[in-house]
Amino acid sequence: MIDKELIGGIVEKALEGTDNFLVEVKVTPDNSVTVEIDSMTGVDIDTCARLTREIESQVDREVEDYELEVGSAGLTSPLKVRRQYEKNIGNELEVLTKDGRKLTGTLKSVSADGSEFTLVIPKKVKEPGKKRPEIVDTEETMAVADTKSVKYLIKFK
């Protein structure tokens, strides 16, 4: 089986000096290799093709037969690394927590180590003496480890 760390190292080195970054490398037992990259400005097909050629030039198919797929992290894919959170500061996210809550809010910040993030969540609050509840923005800081998935929220207007 192909070494996941070997592929990750090749990708990291090939992406040095660009605004692209590695999100994930998956290797299945039947040597199907999937490399997922992202960028602050978007990933184009030329970058994926160049990265595919770089990996193929360093991993010999005669020694290890494998299937390779290089692509960008999709718009609907969950956020996995700190730089994806940084990219989405100011955007609306949908968070599914491990305790079953589903939250929607605007990403305000992410910690330097990427272990926590802060969402601004609009909540209805009934103030004493008022007839109707008002919508108030509340901040909630969450540990990434306490979430099942964090996704960019797509809205059609």
Side-chain angles (χ1 to χ4, degrees):
M1 193 159 100
I2 290 182
D3 184 22
K4 186 176 176 177
E5 282 72 34
L6 170 70
I7 301 294
I10 293 169
V11 172
E12 291 283 357
K13 188 172 180 179
L15 295 178
E16 280 179 6
T18 69
D19 72 339
N20 297 302
F21 54 91
L22 177 64
V23 174
E24 185 176 37
V25 175
K26 292 181 192 171
V27 180
T28 63
D30 65 341
N31 274 348
S32 178
V33 180
T34 304
V35 176
E36 197 173 284
I37 61 173
D38 205 346
S39 166
M40 298 304 228
T41 57
V43 177
D44 61 20
I45 194 149
D46 293 334
T47 302
C48 295
R50 181 179 56 79
L51 195 52
T52 299
R53 287 190 298 273
E54 184 66 29
I55 294 168
E56 288 176 340
S57 73
Q58 295 188 41
V59 181
D60 188 4
R61 285 190 189 270
E62 298 299 320
V63 175
E64 191 93 51
D65 187 31
Y66 60 93
E67 177 182 327
L68 177 62
E69 177 184 337
V70 176
S72 66
L75 190 60
T76 59
S77 298
L79 306 183
K80 297 175 185 159
V81 296
R82 180 184 53 82
R83 288 184 67 185
Q84 287 182 301
Y85 284 88
E86 289 173 355
K87 172 183 176 179
N88 283 289
I89 289 177
N91 291 333
E92 267 195 282
L93 301 180
E94 181 179 88
V95 178
L96 183 59
T97 63
K98 287 187 177 174
D99 62 4
R101 295 183 301 150
K102 187 175 184 178
L103 305 169
T104 301
T106 303
L107 181 61
K108 181 179 181 185
S109 63
V110 62
S111 63
D113 65 356
S115 64
E116 293 183 332
F117 62 94
T118 303
L119 274 183
V120 177
I121 303 169
K123 291 187 178 180
K124 284 186 179 181
V125 177
K126 187 167 189 299
E127 298 287 331
K130 300 225 176 168
K131 290 183 179 181
R132 293 191 174 115
E134 294 181 352
I135 295 178
V136 178
D137 286 340
T138 58
E139 289 186 10
E140 188 166 338
T141 300
M142 297 179 200
V144 172
D146 293 338
T147 64
K148 283 186 181 177
S149 73
V150 179
K151 295 182 180 181
Y152 176 76
L153 184 64
I154 300 171
K155 284 189 173 181
F156 299 99
K157 294 183 181 183

